Amino acid sequence: MIALDALLAQLNTAFGLKASSFTAFIEHLGPPSRWQRLDRPENMGDLDIFGLVDQSVFLPEQLYVVTEESYGRKVGAFAVHRDDLREFVGAYRERHGVMMFNGDTLIVGIGSKAIWICHHEGVWTLFDG
């Protein structure tokens, strides 16, 4: 785990940004033309949505996953190695009692300078600086 404010500071440094929050980043920094709509998100499970993530954009590094649980329980971002990401997503609901993609979800690769974002309104994008 990493505190959200510490992760945001790392993200700002790596990308040369000045985002004051993850919400500001999600809503203002991703150009609208890059967002893609999920096909019938109400019928998709975590692994279905995760199938849209191109893991090859991330280096084999420690990734940080920000979910609604990161805020609600103030646990911060989950630290997961890229190679263990599918397993993490598959076990998320059993461990936390909710779907991983039930709200805004970010998968952050600091070294890769890539952030995969799934917005709670049923759209997703890859921000690669």
Side-chain angles (χ1 to χ4, degrees), residues 1 13 61 63-64 77-78 95 99 108-110 113 127:
M1 302 284 183
T13 299
E61 65 178 314
L63 301 177
Y64 299 99
F78 300 92
R95 289 182 183 152
M99 286 184 57
V108 178
I110 298 294
K113 292 190 179 178
F127 181 77

Side-chain angles (χ1 to χ4, degrees), residues 7-8 14 19 56 74 76 83 85 98 125 129:
L7 178 59
L8 186 61
S56 70
K74 299 190 188 304
D83 298 339
L85 196 53
V98 294
T125 192

